[in-house]
Every structure is written in structure tokens, then in C-alpha cells.
Amino acid sequence: MKVNSTRRTPPRIRLPLWAVSLLGLGIIILLIGSSVWLYQTVQATVSSLEVINPDFANPNSSSAAAVQTLPAPSSSDSSNNAADNEPAPILSTDALRPWEGKNRVSILLLGIDQRCEEDGPTHTDSMMVLTIDPVGLSAAVLSLPRDLWVEIPDFGVDRINQAHYLGEIYEYPGGGQALAVQTVETLLGVPIDYYVAVNFEAFVEVVDLIGGIDIDVLEAIDDPNYPDRCYGYDPFSIEAGKQHLDGETALKYARTRATFGGDVDRAARQQAVILAVRQQVFDLNNVTQLIAQAPQLWHTSQENIRTNMTLDEAIQLALLAQDIPRDSIRTAVLNFDYVYNETTPDGRQVLVPVRENIRQLRDQLFAPPAIPTPVIENLPALMAAEEARVAVLNGTPEFGLAASTQEYLQSFGINVVEIGNADASTYLTSQIITYGSYPNTSRYLTQLMHVPPLNVSSGTNPDGDYDILIIIGNDWRVPGS
């Protein structure tokens, strides 16, 4: 089969989804976003679609059936007539349609720390959350330090980079990616729709394919203990100033922690690296190069990327993100305004989250613009007249939160008659359930606890002697606590 040689006017180059993520995790969006215009160019090199497990996944994991990888290239079969064997299309008709969803979409991006050709459970080296608002055409990226000390559902408190490893080694439903998603949901109190996991090979290869990147190194770095791909050392140093980095050097620059800020500084460098990748890719001279290297890009994606997105969903999200202006993309790192250093009883150095500050940052990055609450005169008096009995149940792993919430609400005249634990400790957002007609008490509670209207509902037959039930979610902290 011959490739159509008709020259087409190249599409207008715009910012794709991958360009707002960090480090090598942005590679998947590069591949996906590029596939729209790569389709006709590389169609002759792709003759089938194949779903496989990438090298960093445990092929015996119970999560294998739920995971997808991107389309893989295959050599053409010379024994078959080309006319009778048309290549399977890479994209469906639906893939090129605009994203139709109106709700915010959040994606957990995972960098996998795979060494020495490991094929078993692995830790994550980088974690970040990408969120897109399809209505307001805005996006944000939040980087999470790997040493963040968090609650891992069903496994207790540990570093956040342990979640993927524990999920794989204990065959958690959905595997390491699912446990990592639940851990981040528990930390931030926001739902995660998709995950994308990538290992170092994808990042190194794509940076080399685009000819390297230009970085303005803010400070000299000397890291004699930089880890190699196995369990030894590969010393790394770089001078301050403008530098041109190949893939391997760019990976070292993004991964080293040999600066005063350690893991926090590293997250900021990762942002600088991905912006440099964006700049290099959208140099028009590199578009032609990427087209020529398309088969290698597909090969990289097949072996080194894992996601629960369908190809259609990923392409539609990439096309959506192309319409987001650069100044509508926010990036943030959980730096020392949001964490503090601590040593665990067994001697590990970790970063403990300052939850109230993280909650405020989360609300800035992930919440839609606030809808003004109607002002009701004498609302406390109207609430008191209803004489509603309120129960507070703790739906988080934080000990004592129901009791401190009771004390807080009672200071405003709320009649809290019962506290306890909810049926689970994994509620992402707080809920208010009203049994009967107590509109003013319900309205007052939503204002005091900042509960969104969609989280307020009515019920029948409560399980106790109360009229309103509050289930505390991970989005709630007692002010001033």
C-alpha cells in the first residue's frame, strides 16, 4: 500500500495536553496529541493494534485485564497481498470529535521508578495531578513530593510513593495504579478520573528524538550519589546557566534531589523541564522530525506507558487542551508552605502535609468559581427556631475530627446530639442529609462547612435520634485547628 503523497497544509500548532504535565509523564499526551496529524503519515507503518503489558507492569498482576497501552507498531507481512490487508485504523471516527463532557476532568500522572529491567512491583518516582475545566477552558498541575507522609487506604500511613508498590505486591483490586489513585483522592478530597503511568525510558527517548531541550539551570548541582538504573551510583553534576540537555541528562536534572529543597526543588525543576520540552516540540523545525520518528514514538508508547484511558478519550482530551490559553494553565508544588520535615520513629525522613494549607490550594486549583451564597437575614435565629438535632460522623482517617467538629458547630448554636465514625473512612467530600423539613439549619450548616449544594440531600428513616446527618469528608478541616 502506498502512502498518499498529496501534500497537505500542516495544522496550526497549539498547546497539547501533555505540555502542562511534568517530567516524562507528559510523553503520553505528546504521543496522543500528535496522533491526529501522524495518522495519515504513518498509516503504512502500522498494520495492527495490539494490547500488551508494558515492561514495568507485573504481567501476572490481577490488574492486567483492566489496563490499556497505546497502539503498537508491527512490521508488514510481505507474504500477504497489501490490497487484501488494509491497515487497521489508528483512530476511530469518534476520536476526532470534540470532548463533550462539562465536568472537570482530573488525571493522576505517575512516573515509575523501574531499574535493572525489573518486571515486578515498582515504586513511583513522580506523582502529579492534572485537572482540566472543559467549560472554563483552564487547567492546573499539582506536583506531589514522593516523600509525602499520607494515609494509604487499607495500608496505614506511609510515603506516598509506596502506594503503587503496595497495590502491586498485594494485588490490590485494580493494581498499583488504583491504590495510587485512591491515596491521592483521600489526600486531596477530589475525584481522579484517569491515570497515566510512564517509566524513564519513554522520557529519555522522546527528548532525544526532538533533539534535546534548552534549560536555564538556576543553580549548580553536584550529586555524587545520583542512582543509576540499577542499585549503584551514576554521579551527576551541572553548572548554572543556559544548558542544552539530551534525554539522559534531562532525566537526571529532573530527578536529582541534591539541592537544599530536596524533593520540593525537584518538583519545580520537573516543571521547567516539561516547559522546555513544549518549547522544543513546537519549534516548527521539529514537527517534521517528529513525523519522521513516528514509528519509534509508537514503539516507545507500547513498551513504557500504561493508562486506563481509551485512545478516543485521550485524543479528545488532547484536542480540548489545545484550546486552553497558556496563561490559563496553573502549576503548583507542595512546597514548604504546605509540608514540613519530620523524622518517623523508625528514622525515615518524610514530609508531613499541612492539611489546611493544602485544602486552600486545592480549592484554588480544582474548584470551579464560587457561586455567591444568598444572604438570609437572621439565619442563626431561624435555624435555632427549627430545633433540629444534628449527628456528625467522621468519614476520614483523621482521629478526633468528629469531636472537634462538634465543638466548632456548637459554638454557633448547632444542636449536635451524636458523634461517631461513618461506615468508611474514605469519603472524599462532606455530605449533609436532612430527615424532615429543616431548611434553615441545613443552609446554615452548608455555609459554616462550605458544603457544595450537590452534596446536600434528603432522606427518610434515620438510623438514630437525629434530624440532620453530617458525614465529614476529606475536604473538611475545622477552621483554626
Side-chain angles (χ1 to χ4, degrees):
M1 173 179 178
K2 295 184 178 179
V3 177
N4 188 346
S5 60
T6 301
R7 299 184 61 85
R8 299 179 181 270
T9 301
R12 181 167 62 92
I13 304 302
R14 295 176 295 170
L15 180 66
L17 175 61
W18 62 271
V20 299
S21 64
L22 307 175
L23 193 55
L25 302 175
I27 302 308
I28 183 171
I29 306 303
L30 166 62
L31 301 174
I32 292 167
S34 302
S35 64
V36 176
W37 43 268
L38 287 175
Y39 171 52
Q40 292 184 347
T41 307
V42 303
Q43 188 175 27
T45 69
V46 181
S47 61
S48 66
L49 300 179
E50 180 183 1
V51 176
I52 64 169
N53 287 315
D55 290 341
F56 62 82
N58 183 348
N60 296 320
S61 169
S62 61
S63 64
V67 176
Q68 295 190 80
T69 55
L70 294 183
S74 63
S75 59
S76 59
D77 187 348
S78 60
S79 64
N80 294 327
N81 187 296
D84 296 330
N85 294 276
E86 290 294 325
I90 300 174
L91 307 178
S92 74
T93 303
D94 291 338
L96 300 182
R97 293 179 180 175
W99 181 264
E100 297 179 350
K102 303 301 181 184
N103 295 329
R104 178 177 294 276
V105 179
S106 295
I107 305 167
L108 179 62
L109 307 169
L110 304 166
I112 302 300
D113 187 1
Q114 180 188 8
R115 306 185 187 185
C116 284
E117 300 181 353
E118 294 171 327
D119 59 2
T122 54
H123 297 81
T124 51
D125 187 73
S126 302
M127 294 183 79
M128 61 229 43
V129 182
L130 166 66
T131 184
I132 301 173
D133 177 5
V135 176
L137 286 181
S138 63
V141 180
L142 176 62
S143 296
L144 307 176
R146 59 176 288 170
D147 291 339
L148 198 62
W149 193 242
V150 299
E151 176 78 16
I152 300 178
D154 296 335
F155 290 93
V157 182
D158 210 327
R159 286 184 174 129
I160 198 169
N161 76 326
Q162 283 284 104
H164 183 273
Y165 174 80
L166 293 171
E168 290 293 312
I169 197 169
Y170 289 105
E171 297 185 352
Y172 190 83
Q177 290 86 4
L179 186 56
V181 164
Q182 291 192 29
T183 300
V184 173
E185 288 180 335
T186 300
L187 170 69
L188 297 179
V190 297
I192 302 297
D193 302 290
Y194 302 106
Y195 65 78
V196 176
V198 125
N199 64 19
F200 300 146
E201 295 296 335
F203 176 77
V204 170
E205 182 167 346
V206 172
V207 170
D208 285 339
L209 286 174
I210 64 176
I213 58 174
D214 295 316
I215 286 286
D216 188 5
V217 179
L218 298 181
E219 61 177 309
I221 299 174
D222 183 21
D223 186 358
N225 297 318
Y226 182 87
D228 61 16
R229 295 296 181 89
C230 290
Y231 295 95
Y233 299 104
D234 184 12
F236 168 68
S237 63
I238 190 169
E239 297 296 327
K242 296 186 182 300
Q243 306 281 357
H244 185 79
L245 310 182
D246 60 15
E248 193 67 39
T249 308
L251 177 66
K252 291 180 178 180
Y253 178 72
R255 291 192 65 218
T256 182
R257 295 193 282 178
T259 57
F260 180 78
D263 209 19
V264 172
D265 285 354
R266 188 178 76 143
R269 285 196 302 274
Q270 291 170 359
Q271 292 181 356
V273 165
I274 201 63
L275 290 175
V277 171
R278 166 187 170 271
Q279 182 66 36
Q280 184 74 352
V281 167
F282 286 96
D283 176 346
L284 290 180
N285 293 330
N286 282 325
V287 173
T288 302
Q289 180 183 359
L290 281 176
I291 293 176
Q293 301 290 353
Q296 291 174 254
L297 290 173
W298 287 121
H299 183 70
T300 299
S301 69
Q302 148 182 306
E303 294 188 343
N304 301 303
I305 296 175
R306 167 184 262 192
T307 179
N308 63 340
M309 290 184 193
T310 66
L311 188 58
D312 285 4
E313 288 170 336
I315 292 170
Q316 288 174 358
L317 282 171
L319 294 174
L320 167 66
Q322 288 178 338
D323 292 326
I324 297 176
R326 178 62 185 90
D327 58 4
S328 295
I329 300 171
R330 297 189 59 188
T331 59
V333 177
L334 291 189
N335 58 27
F336 290 105
D337 292 329
Y338 307 98
V339 300
Y340 61 89
N341 286 307
E342 188 60 270
T343 303
T344 66
D346 58 356
R348 289 185 289 173
Q349 300 296 317
V350 299
L351 297 173
V352 178
V354 181
R355 294 187 179 275
E356 176 64 20
N357 293 357
I358 291 176
R359 185 184 68 80
Q360 294 176 6
L361 176 64
R362 176 210 61 196
D363 290 346
Q364 296 172 17
L365 297 179
F366 293 85
I371 300 174
T373 302
V375 176
I376 299 177
E377 295 183 4
N378 301 320
L379 183 58
L382 293 173
M383 176 273 302
E386 292 177 344
E387 298 182 343
R389 300 165 299 170
V390 177
V392 178
L393 300 183
N394 187 2
T396 80
E398 183 172 338
F399 179 77
L401 188 55
S404 58
T405 302
Q406 177 189 35
E407 182 178 350
Y408 172 75
L409 293 177
Q410 286 177 336
S411 71
F412 289 92
I414 305 294
N415 181 26
V416 181
V417 297
E418 178 183 335
I419 63 172
N421 292 321
D423 57 340
S425 61
T426 55
Y427 281 85
L428 299 181
T429 57
S430 298
Q431 315 285 323
I432 294 178
I433 305 169
T434 303
Y435 300 91
S437 180
Y438 304 95
N440 295 306
T441 306
S442 177
R443 189 176 292 113
Y444 197 33
L445 287 170
T446 62
Q447 293 184 15
L448 291 174
M449 300 186 68
H450 307 288
V451 176
L454 290 177
N455 287 23
V456 180
S457 61
S458 59
T460 58
N461 301 321
D463 292 332
D465 294 327
Y466 51 80
D467 305 305
I468 296 178
L469 173 63
I470 300 172
I471 301 179
I472 301 172
N474 197 59
D475 58 342
W476 165 251
R477 292 293 178 271
V478 177
S481 63

mmCIF file of all heavy atoms in Angstrom, residues 134-152:
data_model
loop_
_atom_site.group_PDB
_atom_site.id
_atom_site.type_symbol
_atom_site.label_atom_id
_atom_site.label_comp_id
_atom_site.label_asym_id
_atom_site.label_seq_id
_atom_site.Cartn_x
_atom_site.Cartn_y
_atom_site.Cartn_z
ATOM 1 N N PRO A 134 -13.314 21.854 31.218
ATOM 2 C CA PRO A 134 -13.694 21.979 29.812
ATOM 3 C C PRO A 134 -14.633 23.140 29.529
ATOM 4 O O PRO A 134 -14.759 23.559 28.378
ATOM 5 C CB PRO A 134 -14.383 20.636 29.512
ATOM 6 C CG PRO A 134 -14.889 20.169 30.822
ATOM 7 C CD PRO A 134 -13.925 20.672 31.857
ATOM 8 N N VAL A 135 -15.287 23.663 30.561
ATOM 9 C CA VAL A 135 -16.201 24.791 30.359
ATOM 10 C C VAL A 135 -15.442 26.111 30.438
ATOM 11 O O VAL A 135 -15.550 26.966 29.561
ATOM 12 C CB VAL A 135 -17.340 24.753 31.399
ATOM 13 C CG1 VAL A 135 -18.234 25.987 31.247
ATOM 14 C CG2 VAL A 135 -18.159 23.480 31.245
ATOM 15 N N GLY A 136 -14.650 26.266 31.487
ATOM 16 C CA GLY A 136 -13.881 27.499 31.649
ATOM 17 C C GLY A 136 -12.592 27.528 30.854
ATOM 18 O O GLY A 136 -11.889 28.543 30.859
ATOM 19 N N LEU A 137 -12.254 26.413 30.161
ATOM 20 C CA LEU A 137 -11.017 26.300 29.381
ATOM 21 C C LEU A 137 -9.806 26.745 30.206
ATOM 22 O O LEU A 137 -9.084 27.685 29.858
ATOM 23 C CB LEU A 137 -11.106 27.102 28.081
ATOM 24 C CG LEU A 137 -11.983 26.494 26.984
ATOM 25 C CD1 LEU A 137 -11.970 27.364 25.736
ATOM 26 C CD2 LEU A 137 -11.517 25.086 26.643
ATOM 27 N N SER A 138 -9.602 26.032 31.305
ATOM 28 C CA SER A 138 -8.445 26.261 32.148
ATOM 29 C C SER A 138 -7.901 24.912 32.598
ATOM 30 O O SER A 138 -8.581 23.883 32.492
ATOM 31 C CB SER A 138 -8.804 27.123 33.359
ATOM 32 O OG SER A 138 -9.743 26.451 34.183
ATOM 33 N N ALA A 139 -6.678 24.913 33.077
ATOM 34 C CA ALA A 139 -6.049 23.674 33.535
ATOM 35 C C ALA A 139 -5.092 23.996 34.667
ATOM 36 O O ALA A 139 -4.685 25.149 34.854
ATOM 37 C CB ALA A 139 -5.308 22.984 32.386
ATOM 38 N N ALA A 140 -4.737 22.970 35.428
ATOM 39 C CA ALA A 140 -3.777 23.141 36.520
ATOM 40 C C ALA A 140 -3.030 21.833 36.723
ATOM 41 O O ALA A 140 -3.544 20.752 36.423
ATOM 42 C CB ALA A 140 -4.485 23.557 37.810
ATOM 43 N N VAL A 141 -1.808 21.942 37.212
ATOM 44 C CA VAL A 141 -0.994 20.774 37.545
ATOM 45 C C VAL A 141 -0.468 20.944 38.958
ATOM 46 O O VAL A 141 0.090 21.990 39.303
ATOM 47 C CB VAL A 141 0.188 20.602 36.577
ATOM 48 C CG1 VAL A 141 1.012 19.377 36.972
ATOM 49 C CG2 VAL A 141 -0.292 20.474 35.150
ATOM 50 N N LEU A 142 -0.665 19.938 39.791
ATOM 51 C CA LEU A 142 -0.182 19.953 41.164
ATOM 52 C C LEU A 142 0.804 18.813 41.348
ATOM 53 O O LEU A 142 0.463 17.646 41.153
ATOM 54 C CB LEU A 142 -1.349 19.795 42.146
ATOM 55 C CG LEU A 142 -0.975 19.705 43.630
ATOM 56 C CD1 LEU A 142 -0.289 20.993 44.087
ATOM 57 C CD2 LEU A 142 -2.207 19.419 44.480
ATOM 58 N N SER A 143 2.047 19.138 41.734
ATOM 59 C CA SER A 143 3.086 18.127 41.963
ATOM 60 C C SER A 143 3.073 17.688 43.418
ATOM 61 O O SER A 143 2.996 18.525 44.330
ATOM 62 C CB SER A 143 4.458 18.701 41.615
ATOM 63 O OG SER A 143 4.535 19.016 40.252
ATOM 64 N N LEU A 144 3.173 16.378 43.635
ATOM 65 C CA LEU A 144 3.162 15.803 44.979
ATOM 66 C C LEU A 144 4.541 15.208 45.278
ATOM 67 O O LEU A 144 4.983 14.300 44.560
ATOM 68 C CB LEU A 144 2.099 14.703 45.084
ATOM 69 C CG LEU A 144 0.681 15.104 44.657
ATOM 70 C CD1 LEU A 144 -0.245 13.884 44.732
ATOM 71 C CD2 LEU A 144 0.150 16.236 45.511
ATOM 72 N N PRO A 145 5.241 15.675 46.289
ATOM 73 C CA PRO A 145 6.562 15.112 46.624
ATOM 74 C C PRO A 145 6.463 13.625 46.945
ATOM 75 O O PRO A 145 5.500 13.172 47.570
ATOM 76 C CB PRO A 145 6.994 15.918 47.858
ATOM 77 C CG PRO A 145 6.167 17.163 47.823
ATOM 78 C CD PRO A 145 4.865 16.771 47.184
ATOM 79 N N ARG A 146 7.459 12.869 46.535
ATOM 80 C CA ARG A 146 7.419 11.418 46.719
ATOM 81 C C ARG A 146 7.516 11.017 48.183
ATOM 82 O O ARG A 146 7.105 9.932 48.570
ATOM 83 C CB ARG A 146 8.550 10.749 45.929
ATOM 84 C CG ARG A 146 9.930 11.205 46.314
ATOM 85 C CD ARG A 146 11.016 10.449 45.573
ATOM 86 N NE ARG A 146 11.132 9.089 46.040
ATOM 87 C CZ ARG A 146 11.861 8.144 45.451
ATOM 88 N NH1 ARG A 146 12.508 8.418 44.341
ATOM 89 N NH2 ARG A 146 11.939 6.949 45.941
ATOM 90 N N ASP A 147 8.050 11.902 49.051
ATOM 91 C CA ASP A 147 8.199 11.584 50.468
ATOM 92 C C ASP A 147 7.024 12.090 51.298
ATOM 93 O O ASP A 147 7.091 12.088 52.542
ATOM 94 C CB ASP A 147 9.493 12.207 51.006
ATOM 95 C CG ASP A 147 10.729 11.532 50.428
ATOM 96 O OD1 ASP A 147 10.616 10.386 49.965
ATOM 97 O OD2 ASP A 147 11.812 12.156 50.441
ATOM 98 N N LEU A 148 5.946 12.500 50.648
ATOM 99 C CA LEU A 148 4.780 12.999 51.370
ATOM 100 C C LEU A 148 4.211 11.888 52.261
ATOM 101 O O LEU A 148 3.977 10.772 51.804
ATOM 102 C CB LEU A 148 3.734 13.478 50.373
ATOM 103 C CG LEU A 148 2.640 14.410 50.893
ATOM 104 C CD1 LEU A 148 3.248 15.715 51.409
ATOM 105 C CD2 LEU A 148 1.647 14.706 49.772
ATOM 106 N N TRP A 149 3.972 12.198 53.542
ATOM 107 C CA TRP A 149 3.529 11.228 54.548
ATOM 108 C C TRP A 149 2.006 11.243 54.584
ATOM 109 O O TRP A 149 1.393 12.189 55.067
ATOM 110 C CB TRP A 149 4.127 11.615 55.892
ATOM 111 C CG TRP A 149 4.048 10.593 56.989
ATOM 112 C CD1 TRP A 149 3.396 10.718 58.173
ATOM 113 C CD2 TRP A 149 4.686 9.317 57.034
ATOM 114 N NE1 TRP A 149 3.578 9.597 58.952
ATOM 115 C CE2 TRP A 149 4.368 8.715 58.279
ATOM 116 C CE3 TRP A 149 5.485 8.609 56.136
ATOM 117 C CZ2 TRP A 149 4.829 7.454 58.642
ATOM 118 C CZ3 TRP A 149 5.948 7.353 56.497
ATOM 119 C CH2 TRP A 149 5.621 6.790 57.732
ATOM 120 N N VAL A 150 1.363 10.208 54.037
ATOM 121 C CA VAL A 150 -0.080 10.218 53.832
ATOM 122 C C VAL A 150 -0.707 8.906 54.282
ATOM 123 O O VAL A 150 -0.023 7.917 54.529
ATOM 124 C CB VAL A 150 -0.429 10.449 52.339
ATOM 125 C CG1 VAL A 150 0.099 11.790 51.858
ATOM 126 C CG2 VAL A 150 0.101 9.307 51.483
ATOM 127 N N GLU A 151 -2.033 8.927 54.347
ATOM 128 C CA GLU A 151 -2.794 7.712 54.609
ATOM 129 C C GLU A 151 -2.991 6.948 53.312
ATOM 130 O O GLU A 151 -3.544 7.480 52.339
ATOM 131 C CB GLU A 151 -4.162 8.074 55.207
ATOM 132 C CG GLU A 151 -5.084 6.892 55.422
ATOM 133 C CD GLU A 151 -4.732 6.088 56.667
ATOM 134 O OE1 GLU A 151 -3.986 6.610 57.524
ATOM 135 O OE2 GLU A 151 -5.210 4.954 56.786
ATOM 136 N N ILE A 152 -2.513 5.704 53.237
ATOM 137 C CA ILE A 152 -2.739 4.837 52.089
ATOM 138 C C ILE A 152 -3.886 3.897 52.459
ATOM 139 O O ILE A 152 -3.751 3.110 53.400
ATOM 140 C CB ILE A 152 -1.477 4.038 51.716
ATOM 141 C CG1 ILE A 152 -0.337 4.997 51.356
ATOM 142 C CG2 ILE A 152 -1.757 3.082 50.562
ATOM 143 C CD1 ILE A 152 0.970 4.308 51.020
#
